[in-house]
Amino acid sequence: RLVGLTPTESAELVATVAGTSPPPIADALHQRTRGNPFFLCETARLLAAEGVPREELTAAAVRALVPDTVREVVERRVLRLPDDTQRMLRLTAMGGSGAELSVLQHATGLGADEVIAVLEPAVRAGLLVEQEDEIGWRFGHALAQDAVRATISRTTRARMHATLATAIEHVHANDLDDHLDEL
């Protein structure tokens, strides 16, 4: 049975993510997130991104600022990204466990440098990480990917799936059998 972090562990995690000493609202963050490490990290990043002055960080401010669910936190972080990054992030979310640079290029019609530049803000925000085994990206956490997917209508998801399938077929035409799971 998994349990959340202790208040001390929560404070240490928030301080590490924020790059500062534990904030005065560490206990409130722990209570709000129930010690869930992913939610703590996402909340700490949101607080840093929204630039709330340290002296204004009170337990009441945390309750007002921090949404009730991880999905809401991720959605707010995504909305802070440039529009083109948001669009590409949604397409990436539909790509299964990861998205290859060449597939995204074919799906969007953009060049490699453009795709990289568009996704860089999502990497800096910690939403995406670079793949280790291929040139591409994956979400830092499945919950973040699920939260981004949840913002996409069913019709748009179907269109994106078709676009990605066509791109995978094109990019991997010579070794399609190795990419059937992706399709």
Side-chain angles (χ1 to χ4, degrees), residues 130-136 138:
E130 293 181 274
Q131 302 256 31
E132 293 177 18
D133 55 341
E134 61 189 39
I135 299 175
R138 64 176 174 76

Side-chain angles (χ1 to χ4, degrees), residues 71-152:
R71 181 189 51 77
E72 291 175 61
V73 171
V74 173
E75 284 177 11
R76 282 179 54 182
R77 288 190 52 226
V78 168
L79 289 173
R80 298 185 63 75
L81 298 171
D83 289 344
D84 57 346
T85 302
Q86 290 180 43
R87 284 189 296 278
M88 186 74 75
L89 194 59
R90 289 184 187 101
L91 184 62
T92 303
M94 301 312 297
S97 62
E100 292 178 72
L101 173 60
S102 55
V103 171
L104 290 175
Q105 283 179 255
H106 189 273
T108 62
L110 299 174
D113 290 340
E114 293 169 294
V115 172
I116 292 167
V118 168
L119 286 178
E120 190 59 34
V123 173
R124 281 195 311 273
L127 291 165
L128 291 180
V129 295
E130 293 181 274
Q131 302 256 31
E132 293 177 18
D133 55 341
E134 61 189 39
I135 299 175
W137 301 264
R138 64 176 174 76
F139 277 80
H141 198 286
L143 290 174
Q145 184 175 9
D146 291 345
V148 172
R149 274 190 196 145
T151 66
I152 306 168

